[in-house]
Amino acid sequence: MRLRIEHKMILGYLPIILLIFVITIFSYRSLDELNTINRSILNEDTVLIQAVEKMGEAVLAQESYGRRYRILDNPEMLDLFRQRDREFNELVDKVRALPHQEEINIDKLLSLHRDFNALFTTSDDLANTPAGLDAGEFDKAVSDTFDRMTALLQYMHRVGKRSQYLKMEKANSIGIRSFRFTALLSTLMIIIGLASVSGITRSISRAIAELKRATEIISQGNYDCRLQVNTKDELADLAASLRVMASRLSLLERISLDSSPLTRMPGGLAIENILAQRLESSHHTAFCMLDLDNFKSYNDRYGYAKGNDVIRATAEIIKSAVAEQGSTDDFVGHIGGDDFAVITHTNRYETICRAIIKRFDETIVNFYNESDRERGCIVSKNRQGRRMTFPIMTISIAVVTHHQEQRITHIEIGEIASELKAYAKSLPGSVFVTDRREKHSEDRGAENTALKVVK
């Protein structure tokens, strides 16, 4: 009798076991598909989008360096031009290595880039117009080639975005299909009366519905969705992958929106976040705020385009000084206008500031015409006809240092830096002013503040 009862129980549970097996296999395959899609988005589409954006930056920088080299005949510009060329080719190789990129005409882009390089390098002297082209034809050829490359890069960017969207749509479709199929089988198991199986099904259904909701939200460009998947299985892994993907996409979008369109450098939001992170991790941090003196008078005299050239040149001076004198974890940002920021370690800021001041003072005179350089200033008249003079531009740097035992927020550091910058701008020439805040050894609650001015 006992054997018969056990046999009947086994036969009675057999449909449930089969249903559970079917659900498990189907769910596993669906989840595996979703994981494959998400990996493809992260490892292919996101990589392509990032590479295209960096290629655009490299080409833009090459045009700037090439034109400046022709004007200034500065070998450093040629080195920077070729360095960006190598970066561009490395990015091309990176895109070539991506699978399933048949829609992207990378060979056409590479051909246009070679033509672009040839416009600057076919002459014996890069500072002269290439043989066979007058100045007007040269400028037109450069602009046409640059525009064609830009258009192709924009197309590649759209291809990456479209592929990303289609894969998200596919993931959404898989989620819906999995949900419907699982719901149907769950209904059958509920009819049979197994509460335990129905509980498992509800858990899977909720997780799949949550993943479906998250996929739809992400596909609409909202990357701040909160996934509530509490299982300890492939669903949790998929939820974790989706969270990582959403966080990465959100970061890329914020950086893209916040970055300066003129210098392609991170903007105020990124600067605040990095500074806050450094302070929270108790690093010995130096926050440097940089500002150009007499920039408005230069803009009024030479025009908006020349002013933009000065801003771009200043950005390159700051980045190169930090790259050479700082470390890999140093940060450079563009607050806006002629204001920049550098976040570095307290034992490196002096070397960086000195390098920036030296290179800026050596370079800035090249942006003035011969008569203004000889006078050492710009001469103009105000609305009342009164003669006014404005010195050659200089750079003022305000540095606020932070040590491990201090308690200070990134907002307070920004306010101190603004006050120091106003003081630095009141001093003649290019200078950096340091706010050294140290605690008394006898009284841990008190602080000494010492200013250090270096020209």
Side-chain angles (χ1 to χ4, degrees):
M1 178 67 66
R2 181 177 178 183
L3 292 177
R4 290 181 180 179
I5 292 173
E6 291 177 351
H7 181 68
K8 289 181 179 179
M9 289 178 63
I10 292 173
L11 290 178
Y13 280 108
L14 185 59
I16 303 301
I17 295 172
L18 290 176
L19 287 174
I20 293 174
F21 179 78
V22 171
I23 289 175
T24 302
I25 295 299
F26 185 83
S27 298
Y28 179 81
R29 292 184 60 183
S30 299
L31 293 172
D32 186 65
E33 283 187 80
L34 290 172
N35 274 322
T36 301
I37 291 172
N38 287 325
R39 285 194 297 268
S40 175
I41 292 174
L42 288 172
N43 299 331
E44 296 177 23
D45 301 327
T46 302
V47 171
L48 173 63
I49 292 169
Q50 291 176 335
V52 167
E53 291 174 350
K54 290 180 179 178
M55 283 192 282
E57 294 174 4
V59 171
L60 183 64
Q62 276 192 280
E63 182 192 34
S64 175
Y65 293 145
R67 291 186 182 275
R68 274 186 278 169
Y69 183 77
R70 293 182 66 244
I71 295 172
L72 305 177
D73 196 19
N74 186 343
E76 291 183 1
M77 296 297 104
L78 177 58
D79 292 338
L80 291 171
F81 180 91
R82 289 171 176 164
Q83 178 183 338
R84 286 296 190 166
D85 176 45
R86 290 191 295 271
E87 292 176 5
F88 184 92
N89 290 326
E90 290 172 0
L91 291 167
V92 168
D93 293 339
K94 191 174 183 180
V95 172
R96 282 185 187 278
L98 295 176
H100 312 302
Q101 301 297 340
E102 296 82 1
E103 191 175 351
I104 297 175
N105 194 347
I106 194 67
D107 293 328
K108 176 64 175 177
L109 178 64
L110 189 59
S111 175
L112 287 172
H113 187 249
R114 287 171 181 162
D115 294 342
F116 181 75
N117 286 345
L119 289 171
F120 289 97
T121 58
T122 50
S123 65
D124 292 334
D125 182 359
L126 186 60
N128 296 324
T129 303
L133 296 177
D134 59 31
E137 292 173 336
F138 172 77
D139 286 339
K140 185 177 186 303
V142 170
S143 297
D144 290 345
T145 308
F146 179 84
D147 290 341
R148 292 170 66 190
M149 281 194 295
T150 301
L152 188 52
L153 286 171
Q154 290 174 346
Y155 170 75
M156 293 169 64
H157 192 275
R158 290 195 299 272
V159 168
K161 284 289 188 181
R162 185 173 68 250
S163 175
Q164 192 179 72
Y165 175 79
L166 291 176
K167 289 174 183 177
M168 289 181 176
E169 285 291 304
K170 183 178 179 181
N172 180 49
S173 176
I174 292 172
I176 294 174
R177 183 185 64 195
S178 300
F179 175 79
R180 290 175 177 174
F181 188 79
T182 304
L184 176 62
L185 296 182
S186 298
T187 302
L188 293 176
M189 286 187 289
I190 291 172
I191 293 174
I192 296 172
L194 289 175
S196 60
V197 176
S198 67
I200 295 173
T201 302
R202 283 194 299 270
S203 176
I204 294 175
S205 299
R206 282 195 299 269
I208 292 176
E210 180 69 11
L211 291 171
K212 170 194 168 185
R213 181 188 68 82
T215 303
E216 291 175 345
I217 292 173
I218 293 173
S219 67
Q220 294 169 3
N222 183 0
Y223 307 119
D224 296 326
C225 62
R226 295 183 178 273
L227 276 171
Q228 300 296 330
V229 178
N230 299 318
T231 60
K232 297 181 179 180
D233 52 17
E234 289 84 356
L235 286 171
D237 294 339
L238 177 60
S241 297
L242 279 174
R243 281 192 289 267
V244 171
M245 181 188 71
S247 176
R248 181 65 175 166
L249 292 174
S250 177
L251 176 62
L252 292 173
E253 183 178 67
R254 289 199 303 271
I255 292 175
S256 176
L257 293 174
D258 185 52
S259 62
S260 166
L262 181 61
T263 61
R264 303 291 182 180
M265 294 169 66
L269 179 61
I271 295 170
E272 290 183 5
N273 290 339
I274 294 296
L275 180 56
Q277 290 172 12
R278 298 290 174 88
L279 296 178
E280 288 174 2
S281 58
S282 297
H283 282 285
H284 288 240
T285 301
F287 176 69
C288 309
M289 182 180 290
L290 306 91
D291 186 23
L292 302 186
D293 307 319
N294 300 308
F295 176 73
K296 183 180 184 303
S297 60
Y298 179 90
N299 236 9
D300 294 340
R301 170 66 182 272
Y302 288 88
Y304 177 76
K306 290 288 186 180
N308 283 347
D309 290 340
V310 170
I311 295 296
R312 282 190 286 262
T314 303
E316 293 305 321
I317 288 171
I318 296 171
K319 286 193 291 186
S320 62
V322 172
E324 294 172 11
Q325 306 297 334
S327 66
T328 55
D329 62 347
D330 287 346
F331 177 84
V332 180
H334 186 181
I335 299 173
D338 59 334
D339 290 317
F340 296 87
V342 174
I343 302 174
T344 184
H345 196 274
T346 52
N347 63 7
R348 288 191 294 268
Y349 75 86
E350 287 198 26
T351 306
I352 292 172
C353 289
R354 292 178 192 274
I356 291 172
I357 288 175
K358 182 177 182 297
R359 295 179 188 181
F360 182 86
D361 288 345
E362 291 172 349
T363 303
I364 196 61
V365 293
N366 298 318
F367 288 88
Y368 288 81
N369 59 36
E370 186 175 352
S371 61
D372 286 342
R373 284 199 299 269
E374 291 177 355
R375 281 194 302 266
C377 64
I378 293 174
V379 178
S380 63
K381 292 184 179 180
N382 60 16
R383 295 179 180 178
Q384 290 74 33
R386 184 179 177 182
R387 185 175 181 271
M388 301 184 68
T389 60
F390 299 94
I392 298 294
M393 271 186 287
T394 56
I395 189 167
S396 294
I397 308 175
V399 184
V400 182
T401 59
H402 168 263
H403 298 280
Q404 195 167 18
E405 68 275 7
Q406 293 173 313
R407 293 294 179 266
I408 189 170
T409 68
H410 66 282
I411 296 175
E412 291 171 326
I413 283 186
E415 292 173 350
I416 296 170
S418 296
E419 294 175 2
L420 283 179
K421 186 184 74 171
Y423 172 67
K425 291 178 73 67
S426 70
L427 302 175
S430 293
V431 299
F432 71 89
V433 179
T434 305
D435 174 79
R436 293 181 169 180
R437 307 174 72 80
E438 299 176 348
K439 289 193 175 183
H440 291 296
S441 58
E442 299 84 358
D443 184 1
R444 291 289 180 181
E447 288 187 351
N448 279 333
T449 300
L451 291 182
K452 180 180 178 181
V453 180
V454 180
K455 296 189 177 182

